[in-house]
């Protein structure tokens, strides 16, 4: 979850490191720090708080062309100056930044303490520079010491280290993402591509067990035994401007408004002659599949619910499982099972674990992700990309829409291959109206009704979101988005669930936001009426002719469309509602407390 940046090459490192950390701050913002090596010592500067606090604390930039940096999402120890990365050995000659969790750090710390090492932080990371220092006493060179140290670690990690007097960066990964960026005059290591996207689009996605040594004019990738590993160089097709805020106040607002473009990219080339096609999924790919298991977390889980609902309509046995509960909550798994891992980053630890568990039991696997070269994309049998472009805001917006559309198309592709499945009867209308979805989104983005609703309801005690069928997952996603960035109490329910307990919480200060997809909304209307009779204000989100408009106190309109896509239009209204409410409350919208963009620890 933390953000790592390393840089080596011509010119000064500090400004590049700080810029990289700003681009990675969506991965954590509890504390930040950099370390620069210039031949006269390793200079470490770090502080609790955000990258802006680190920049403010630097009266002058440290000199040197080799450096590492880190922005932290706390796992071990609170966000303090002492717990901020980089961490060093006692002499300050070895500096390390780390993303992940070292499972055996208690044991290692005790062993090192017995040998005279003194520790200054509560973190698991601090054992790493002490280990490197310990092995330097007997190793033939620093590279061997780093290998020995890394080989001692148990758990997950992406590590970058520098050593006094050496114009090198050492790095390794296992279970946490790390990507190498290649430019003519400087090379980079980072947790994610946006860290250096302004400098280069040439990347190498490192894999588990890789150990990298960077020098100003060369790099080497080996395994922990020193055997050379060949890795291909890929070109990232993201535009650097896509990773910036542009003229918008927040990344989240920009990304909400970029959804028409993102969805156009998602759809492009995937509907031909009235049929759904994926280049990576030729005819017959899914023959023999009897059960589909979607595994995902958070917003991706809600997108998986959307796809799963459509797959059930196609008469395919379907399970939607929270990835963290996969081993205890999934049904039987064998060669007739398809495990679909839905993960924006392709690095979500719980989802990767579920993917691997399914594969170990013989299942076929498919990754639905946004990141080419991600771990999920590499490890799954097949990968489908949602093509949403970089998303920086911690609260996912455009990636949810692109995931849901991709999964909706995937359901039709699956139905074509599975003998007993039944493709949607009116597939032609479904696919024809999908082409209008970007324009329909533009119509919603031109409204200001969600902002007005946010202003009028800002003093509410609680917010309840309800929906039926496809609207259920949209209600859950709307509640999640609202609580993520407003810090207000919000819950999502299937429409019929409200009367089975949650109704006890409904008052005149708890608006009920009822999602209409333009399909079967009578159950949602009935349950909204039950809440209204207890004094709750009712907000209807749906087409103008939805039955909910007859009873609603407020209506956020969406264009008329095929019901499958109506929920996605309603979701954009919910995103705008959450955004404007958070802005009214002066919340840090792009950096909600305690959250990070990519959850790479279990």
């Amino acid at each position: 979850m933390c953000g790592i940046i390393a840089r080596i090459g011509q010119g000064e490192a500090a400004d590049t490191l700080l810029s990289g950390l700003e681009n990675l701050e969506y991965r954590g913002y509890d504390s930040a720090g950099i370390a620069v090596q210039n031949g006269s010592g390793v200079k470490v500067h770090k502080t609790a708080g955000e990258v802006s606090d680190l920049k403010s604390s630097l009266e002058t930039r440290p000199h040197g062309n080799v450096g590492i940096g880190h922005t932290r999402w706390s796992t071990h120890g609170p966000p303090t100056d002492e717990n901020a990365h980089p961490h060093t050995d006692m002499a300050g000659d070895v500096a390390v930044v780390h993303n992940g969790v070292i499972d055996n750090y208690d044991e290692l710390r005790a062993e090192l303490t017995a040998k005279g090492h003194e520790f200054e932080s509560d973190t698991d990371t601090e054992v790493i520079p002490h280990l490197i220092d310990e092995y330097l006493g007997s190793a033939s060179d620093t590279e061997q010491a780093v290998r020995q140290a890394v080989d001692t670690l148990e758990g997950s990690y992406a590590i970058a280290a520098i050593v006094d007097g050496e114009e090198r960066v050492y790095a390794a990964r296992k279970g946490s993402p790390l990507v190498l960026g290649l430019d003519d005059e400087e090379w980079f290591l980072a947790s994610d591509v946006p860290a250096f996207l302004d400098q280069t689009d040439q990347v190498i996605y490192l894999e588990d067990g890789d150990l990298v040594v960077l020098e100003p004019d060369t790099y080497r990738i080996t395994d922990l035994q020193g055997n050379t590993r060949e890795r291909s160089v890929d070109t990232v097709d993201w535009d650097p401007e896509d990773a910036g805020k542009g003229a918008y106040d927040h990344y989240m607002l920009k990304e909400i408004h970029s959804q028409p473009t993102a969805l156009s990219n998602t759809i492009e080339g995937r509907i031909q002659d009235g049929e759904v096609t994926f280049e990576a999924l030729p005819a017959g790919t899914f023959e023999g599949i009897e059960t589909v298991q979607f595994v995902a977390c958070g917003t991706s889980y809600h997108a998986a619910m959307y796809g799963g609902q459509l797959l059930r309509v196609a008469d395919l046995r379907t399970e939607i499982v929270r990835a963290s509960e996969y081993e205890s909550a999934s049904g039987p798994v064998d060669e007739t099972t398809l495990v679909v891992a839905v993960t924006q980053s392709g690095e979500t630890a719980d989802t990767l674990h579920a993917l691997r568990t399914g594969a170990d039991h013989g299942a076929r696997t498919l990754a639905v992700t946004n990141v080419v070269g991600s771990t999920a994309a590499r490890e799954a049998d097949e990968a489908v990309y949602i093509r949403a472009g970089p998303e920086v805001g911690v609260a996912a917006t455009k990636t949810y829409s692109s995931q849901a559309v991709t999964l909706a198309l995937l359901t039709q592709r699956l139905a074509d291959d599975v003998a007993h499945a039944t493709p949607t009867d009116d597939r032609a209308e479904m696919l024809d109206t999908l082409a209008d979805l970007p324009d329909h989104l533009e119509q919603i983005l031109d409204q200001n009704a969600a902002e007005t609703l946010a202003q009028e309801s800002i003093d509410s005690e609680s917010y309840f979101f309800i929906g039926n069928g496809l609207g259920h997952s949209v209600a859950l996603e709307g509640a999640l988005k609202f609580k993520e960035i407003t810090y207000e109490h919000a819950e999502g329910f299937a429409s019929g669930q409200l009367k089975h307990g949650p109704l006890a919480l409904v008052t005149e200060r708890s608006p009920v936001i009822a999602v209409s997809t333009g399909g079967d909304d009578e159950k949602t209307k009935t349950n909204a009426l039950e809440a209204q009779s207890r004094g709750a204000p009712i907000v209807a989100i749906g087409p103008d002719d939805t039955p909910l408009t007859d009873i609603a106190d407020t209506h956020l309109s969406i264009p008329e469309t095929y019901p499958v896509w109506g929920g996605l239009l309603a979701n954009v209204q919910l995103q705008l509602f959450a955004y404007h409410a958070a802005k009214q409350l002066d919340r840090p919208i792009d950096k909600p407390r305690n959250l990070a963009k990519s959850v790479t620890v279990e």
Side-chain angles (χ1 to χ4, degrees), residues 57-389:
S57 71
L58 286 169
E59 295 182 3
T60 59
R61 300 289 191 262
H63 169 68
N65 71 321
V66 182
I68 56 178
H70 189 270
T71 180
R72 182 172 184 244
W73 188 86
S74 303
T75 55
H76 291 72
T80 63
D81 291 352
E82 293 78 16
N83 290 333
H85 297 213
H87 290 287
T88 67
D89 64 334
M90 288 191 295
D93 294 333
V94 180
V96 170
V97 292
H98 162 235
N99 178 24
V101 174
I102 306 303
D103 293 336
N104 61 336
Y105 89 99
D106 277 330
E107 173 189 337
L108 294 172
R109 184 167 179 146
E111 292 175 0
L112 289 163
T113 299
K115 294 178 180 180
H117 291 261
E118 297 178 1
F119 292 83
E120 297 181 353
S121 78
D122 303 314
T123 69
D124 55 339
T125 301
E126 195 180 358
V127 300
I128 302 173
H130 285 265
L131 278 173
I132 295 173
D133 174 56
E134 181 69 21
Y135 287 123
L136 278 170
S138 57
S140 58
D141 56 20
T142 303
E143 184 175 338
Q144 184 186 4
V146 172
R147 290 183 193 285
Q148 289 178 279
V150 171
D151 195 41
T152 307
L153 303 176
E154 297 175 5
S156 63
Y157 52 77
I159 297 165
I162 58 175
V163 178
D164 183 30
E166 297 189 23
E167 205 171 9
R168 295 185 184 90
V169 176
Y170 301 90
R173 73 152 281 178
K174 177 188 173 186
S176 290
L178 199 59
V179 58
L180 172 60
L182 306 176
D183 192 24
D184 293 335
E185 297 185 348
E186 53 186 345
W187 290 350
F188 311 88
L189 282 160
S191 301
D192 207 350
V193 170
F196 52 71
L197 193 56
D198 288 338
Q199 282 79 21
T200 183
D201 60 0
Q202 299 299 296
V203 303
I204 295 175
Y205 293 99
L206 301 175
E207 299 186 21
D208 281 359
D210 284 354
L211 189 142
V212 186
V213 180
L214 296 184
E215 298 181 72
D217 57 356
T218 187
Y219 68 88
R220 289 180 288 109
I221 304 175
T222 67
D223 61 19
L224 292 184
Q225 288 70 48
N227 302 308
T228 298
R229 284 185 162 180
E230 299 295 335
R231 296 284 179 251
S232 62
V233 178
D234 294 317
T235 300
V236 178
D237 62 0
W238 290 349
D239 187 328
E241 291 187 6
D242 291 341
K245 279 193 297 190
Y248 292 92
D249 290 340
H250 298 92
Y251 284 107
M252 183 180 179
L253 186 61
K254 179 193 175 183
E255 287 156 4
I256 290 172
H257 279 262
S258 70
Q259 286 177 105
T261 299
L263 285 180
S264 294
N265 293 336
T266 298
I267 299 164
E268 184 179 4
R270 289 175 169 170
I271 302 172
Q272 298 180 11
D273 300 324
E275 298 297 329
V276 175
T277 65
F278 288 94
E279 184 176 333
L281 306 175
T285 297
F286 303 117
E287 287 180 359
I289 292 298
E290 296 181 3
T291 302
V292 178
Q293 295 178 337
F294 292 96
V295 295
C297 299
T299 288
S300 295
Y301 177 80
H302 298 150
M305 288 180 65
Y306 209 90
Q309 178 77 8
L310 294 173
L311 206 54
R312 290 188 179 117
V313 172
D315 289 335
L316 256 170
R317 189 183 304 129
T318 307
E319 299 176 18
I320 304 113
V321 186
R322 287 184 172 83
S324 58
E325 310 301 318
Y326 181 73
E327 289 176 292
S328 61
S330 72
V333 180
D334 58 25
E335 68 277 0
T336 67
T337 306
L338 176 69
V339 175
V340 181
V342 187
T343 161
Q344 182 277 137
S345 67
E347 304 291 349
T348 308
D350 289 326
T351 305
L352 289 174
H353 181 71
L355 181 73
R356 292 161 181 159
T357 301
D360 288 344
H361 285 80
R364 283 183 263 176
T365 57
L366 171 68
V368 177
T369 183
N370 196 36
V371 182
V372 176
S374 61
T375 301
R378 291 197 310 269
E379 293 192 7
D381 296 328
E382 308 290 347
V384 168
Y385 297 102
I386 67 172
R387 303 173 178 170

